[in-house]
Amino acid sequence: MMRFLRKAAVIARRDFLATVFTPAFLMFLLAPLFMLAFATVGGTGARMIADSGDESRTIVVIADAPLAAQLDAEDSRMRALFPEPVAPPPIEIRTPGRDPGAQARALIENESIEIVAVLFGGVDDPHILFAPDGERSANYLGALFENTVEAERAASFGGAIAVPERETIQRSAATISGRQATGFTALFVLFLLTLLLAGQTVSVLAEEKGNKVIEILAAAVPLETVFFGKLFGLFGVALLFVSFWGGIIAFGLSLMPDTGAALAALDPAIGFGPFLALAIVYFGMGYLLLGAVFLAVGAQATSMREIQMLSLPITFFQMAMFGFASAAAAAPGSALATAAELFPFSSPFAMAARGATDPALWPHAAAIAWQILWVSITIAIGARLFRKGVLKSGPSFFRSIGKYLRCGRGSKSA
Amino acid sequence: MQPAPALSANGLVKYFGDKRAVDHVDILVPQGSIYGILGPNGAGKTTTLRMLLGIIDPDEGHRELLGTARPRSVGDRVGYLPEERGLYPGMKAREAIAFMGALRGLDWKTGRERADVMLEAAGLGASAYEKIKKLSKGMAQFVQLLGSIVHRPDLIVLDEPFSGLDPVNQGRLEDIILAERDRGATVLFSTHIMGHAERLCDRLAIIAGGKRRYEGSVDEARATLPMQAHYEPREDGGALAAKLPADAVRDNGGYRFAVPEGGMEALLQQLLDSGHGIAGLSLERPSLHDVFVALVGEETVERMEADSDAEQSA
């Protein structure tokens, strides 16, 4: 076993160094910059609309019936001023309980409905309590209150108008939409990374086949070792890539003011630390699962042309896994979600998203064990196919399939 | 008691599709010997070597390498130069040698140190830090050869090691093979050039059409054919041809024929008595070429020689 690992390390080391110490790697490493530039330009506008137009948000007024009726009427009048996409969230009226302050606090803390701002305390002692992401809604509530009371004063009694006292509170728990967003983000990032990085393994053998080094490798070490070494060499490249960008993002976040509040809304159910750790583990699993399949498939190709042809179905396969896992993330706890969490090739993505919304840790332990089992199965089968594909003389695997389809006969692996 | 053979194989068979590429080949390589596998291109030499080394498994038959039936388990004691040469073009020469050593379990540091020494000895010391892509094809091939013996293996298998080398480097390679044998290693190589086999091999096998046609020492191979006599008569008369053996052919102002089974004496006596006299007489051992022709046929030998000519002029 030690010998196996030592030799796999020789191959992994070679692949890692040959990939990393090239000018092309710098291009590869910096490629996400282009994406970021476009995403920033396109994203800013979209975000402005999305912020206020989020339909799952609500604002609440805790008031007695008469004031509530007046506020409601004023709300209808003011709301008409806003075009639909930027209208404030809908208002709900609640009857005051014994302690409206605590009531308001409880509303914002509530995880099942996303309430971003609450007005309470009546005409005499108005307060607005709002979540960090509910500042606009708080402004709206303030304006609504002032307009209502001013109209009232003009109509009947004089006296000073009390200005609502504003207070922002940190949510101790994250919101549903925030968590789902975290889940989707994790899912998307994992997908993007595996799409970028696992796909590389398809063509990794082309080099050795082209310059005949495969002869040396095949003679010196079992092809299973070559397979393992190549997979892990590129995994090292992938980890380097991920830690580079992970480091930059973490550094960027630490420089931004006030990130604590924004992050609190996204706080995954199992906590940031475990979530991040799990995301890294799931990235590893996803990479190894898909990478092993692609490496094995790539080894069947006999030319660069065939490899180029292969990259399309491979991208589609990854897209399908992404689609499957995101459908699961959109409906946590559903049968679809369970299916995506169980199916080996979508499991890492689906489970990463699950970590955002479900606080239980044991499903992750089970999923990781399950995925490790599948990583071993995939590597074992992949290595065998790889062995056949690499040393075979005679028509390629794909040519044999073509022949088989045309004539309805012939063997798959001549 | 004879030491166990370094390598033995019985009845190796390999099919590629419907074609039987190797057909019941037996080989026995004594420890510490230089063993040649001769045959034309496409005879099944490479496939046989790959089966012996466990790179591919035979469909039938049995092989034993350094005392084990699982050749991969003794991979670190084997050095192999494949027929299809190739190194990573971006690697430096000494690094490539150390890399090949590392694949066989040698640590990198020792590998690099030995690489420097070996490159120096092979006259490539100046190229130790050159990338493979900067080297000539012959130099790169030499680097690969050094890489396949850097871990000082007990068994060295070289597939067509001479092809692609100029005569100077072929000579260097012969020296290396002899030096490795003197170190105690067993060397097995395949070739289609008879000269190398004739000079180097203690034993050899001849493979053609996937079948083993001969196995034994070079001398034994030659002994399969009778000695050749070249006779020049003093008086070449009409009746002379009838007195000579039936296989005599005119050659170079005289006649060439196989020495008769009973020896030359009776024939010579007869020639002297009949007055033809003896202007010249030489007895020659048959060359490996003649043995080859007898064993595998003129056509196959011609193809082999055409292969090697094409290579030399390439």
Side-chain angles (χ1 to χ4, degrees):
Chain A
M1 191 62 197
M2 273 314 290
R3 234 180 63 166
F4 174 82
L5 289 179
R6 217 175 52 229
K7 292 186 174 177
V10 171
I11 290 165
R13 171 188 182 276
R14 199 310 296 189
D15 271 26
F16 181 80
L17 294 180
T19 312
V20 171
F21 289 108
T22 53
F25 180 71
L26 206 62
M27 289 292 290
F28 172 75
L29 192 62
L30 298 180
L33 274 182
F34 302 110
M35 201 180 73
L36 273 184
F38 284 109
T40 315
V41 174
T44 318
R47 193 181 160 77
M48 281 164 64
I49 296 169
D51 261 356
S52 47
D54 193 336
E55 285 173 8
S56 63
R57 295 169 157 217
T58 313
I59 49 183
V60 170
V61 169
I62 302 175
D64 293 326
L67 179 61
Q70 286 160 7
L71 282 166
D72 197 25
E74 183 62 24
D75 176 51
S76 308
R77 198 182 64 78
M78 281 173 69
R79 189 170 289 274
L81 301 176
F82 292 96
E84 186 56 40
V86 294
I91 285 193
E92 268 183 41
I93 310 284
R94 300 281 170 98
T95 346
R98 197 171 299 162
D99 180 357
Q103 193 183 355
R105 204 165 290 274
L107 282 171
I108 288 187
E109 298 265 342
N110 189 334
E111 285 185 40
S112 56
I113 340 160
E114 193 168 355
I115 293 166
V116 289
V118 181
L119 170 71
F120 64 97
V123 184
D124 305 323
D125 183 21
H127 281 75
I128 294 171
L129 193 66
F130 61 97
D133 52 343
E135 197 167 354
R136 278 163 198 274
S137 301
N139 293 346
Y140 176 72
L141 274 181
L144 176 67
F145 178 79
E146 281 170 37
N147 282 354
T148 310
V149 176
E150 204 161 333
E152 182 70 10
R153 193 189 60 158
S156 57
F157 53 86
I161 305 166
V163 176
E165 192 176 306
R166 291 160 60 107
E167 190 191 343
T168 169
I169 64 163
Q170 275 317 342
R171 280 195 183 93
S172 58
T175 58
I176 287 282
S177 71
R179 281 187 169 162
Q180 280 197 347
T182 310
F184 273 120
T185 310
L187 184 63
F188 182 69
V189 170
L190 284 194
F191 161 70
L192 201 66
L193 286 175
T194 42
L195 181 71
L196 279 173
L197 300 169
Q200 280 191 321
T201 56
V202 179
S203 56
V204 71
L205 209 68
E207 184 189 1
E208 274 86 358
K209 277 195 166 181
N211 61 22
K212 305 288 181 194
V213 176
I214 192 66
E215 294 275 337
I216 299 183
L217 299 183
V221 293
L223 278 168
E224 286 77 3
T225 314
V226 177
F227 184 83
F228 208 71
K230 296 220 150 274
L231 194 55
F232 277 86
L234 285 176
F235 186 49
V237 175
L239 282 184
L240 181 71
F241 182 89
V242 169
S243 31
F244 177 78
W245 282 101
I248 286 189
I249 290 168
F251 181 67
L253 281 181
S254 71
L255 288 186
M256 283 210 298
D258 218 17
T259 45
L263 287 181
L266 301 174
D267 192 12
I270 52 168
F272 252 115
F275 183 71
L276 217 60
L278 280 175
I280 292 171
V281 172
Y282 286 133
F283 166 68
M285 294 295 165
Y287 180 90
L288 292 177
L289 277 167
L290 293 169
V293 172
F294 300 158
L295 186 54
V297 171
Q300 311 301 316
T302 45
S303 66
M304 261 334 263
R305 191 186 302 275
E306 274 187 356
I307 284 170
Q308 283 165 355
M309 292 292 139
L310 282 176
S311 62
L312 187 68
I314 277 168
T315 310
F316 275 144
F317 179 66
Q318 281 177 305
M319 298 280 281
M321 289 307 112
F322 174 62
F324 193 24
S326 31
S334 66
L336 182 72
T338 314
E341 283 157 12
L342 282 178
F343 185 66
F345 295 103
S346 56
S347 177
F349 307 115
M351 285 308 292
R354 183 189 174 127
T357 53
D358 180 0
L361 268 174
W362 71 263
H364 296 286
I368 289 170
W370 174 244
Q371 287 163 22
I372 288 177
L373 174 73
W374 276 96
V375 166
S376 332
I377 293 176
T378 316
I379 289 182
I381 296 176
R384 189 155 306 170
L385 276 176
F386 180 85
R387 184 182 167 79
K388 272 196 172 161
V390 168
L391 283 183
K392 188 182 42 174
S393 49
S396 84
F397 178 69
F398 303 103
R399 205 170 280 270
S400 308
I401 290 184
K403 189 178 156 196
Y404 182 79
L405 291 177
R406 276 199 308 276
C407 317
R409 64 187 168 79
S411 66
K412 278 190 177 181
S413 53
Chain B
M1 205 182 99
Q2 280 233 322
L7 199 159
S8 68
N10 292 310
L12 291 185
V13 173
K14 185 74 191 174
Y15 289 95
F16 287 135
D18 301 330
K19 191 183 160 227
R20 200 184 281 180
V22 174
D23 190 359
H24 292 96
V25 165
D26 302 330
I27 279 177
L28 192 119
V29 181
Q31 244 180 49
S33 66
I34 300 179
Y35 194 99
I37 295 184
L38 261 90
N41 287 346
K45 298 190 299 278
T46 297
T47 307
T48 305
L49 292 184
R50 283 179 162 189
M51 281 192 285
L52 294 174
L53 291 170
I55 300 170
I56 51 176
D57 290 322
D59 292 325
E60 285 170 38
H62 170 87
R63 81 274 211 222
E64 208 164 275
L65 190 80
L66 299 171
T68 168
R70 294 185 305 118
R72 309 296 310 215
S73 66
V74 290
D76 287 356
R77 293 169 57 201
V78 176
Y80 174 53
L81 177 75
E83 184 185 13
E84 299 259 26
R85 317 273 197 263
L87 293 165
Y88 291 111
M91 259 189 191
K92 295 189 175 89
R94 72 197 291 263
E95 204 64 15
I97 293 174
F99 172 74
M100 289 176 67
L103 287 176
R104 300 282 188 180
L106 188 71
D107 69 272
W108 283 90
K109 190 168 164 287
T110 318
R112 289 195 190 99
E113 285 167 6
R114 285 190 196 168
D116 289 338
V117 175
M118 292 167 96
L119 283 167
E120 197 62 54
L124 293 171
S127 309
Y129 288 86
E130 292 273 8
K131 287 190 173 174
I132 298 294
K133 61 183 164 204
K134 296 264 173 73
L135 302 181
S136 74
K137 203 173 150 219
M139 281 156 96
Q141 189 173 329
F142 231 88
V143 168
Q144 189 172 352
L145 172 82
L146 298 180
S148 53
I149 58 175
V150 66
H151 57 295
R152 303 202 175 139
D154 297 330
L155 174 68
I156 298 170
V157 178
L158 311 170
D159 198 353
E160 295 283 357
F162 295 99
S163 71
L165 292 181
D166 59 43
V168 176
N169 279 317
Q170 289 190 356
R172 276 190 186 151
L173 175 55
E174 287 192 9
D175 292 345
I176 289 182
I177 290 177
L178 292 171
E180 286 297 306
R181 194 261 318 267
D182 294 344
R183 178 174 67 76
T186 308
V187 182
L188 169 68
F189 71 90
S190 75
T191 184
H192 59 266
I193 303 171
M194 277 173 261
H196 300 298
E198 209 163 1
R199 274 197 295 281
L200 290 170
C201 292
D202 300 317
R203 290 181 82 77
L204 54 86
I206 295 173
I207 294 181
K211 286 188 164 61
R212 196 198 72 184
R213 304 297 181 87
Y214 173 77
E215 208 274 344
S217 71
V218 176
D219 287 342
E220 283 165 11
R222 284 178 167 157
T224 58
L225 288 186
M227 301 268 271
Q228 295 288 311
H230 186 260
Y231 162 67
E232 277 176 48
R234 204 170 291 282
E235 291 291 332
D236 199 351
L240 176 60
K243 296 199 170 62
L244 293 173
D247 64 337
V249 287
R250 274 209 168 270
D251 175 45
N252 207 12
Y255 294 86
R256 177 174 292 281
F257 51 89
V259 174
E261 242 170 74
M264 286 296 283
E265 291 84 350
L267 178 63
L268 290 178
Q269 193 61 57
Q270 212 181 347
L271 291 170
L272 288 171
D273 292 348
S274 56
H276 290 291
I278 300 173
L281 176 69
S282 63
L283 297 183
E284 288 164 8
R285 299 183 65 87
S287 69
L288 208 52
H289 172 96
D290 300 328
V291 177
F292 237 71
V293 170
L295 288 171
V296 301
E298 189 94 45
E299 193 193 340
T300 311
V301 174
E302 269 170 17
R303 226 177 62 223
M304 249 172 83
E305 279 166 352
D307 288 342
S308 92
D309 287 348
E311 219 164 75
Q312 296 295 330
S313 60

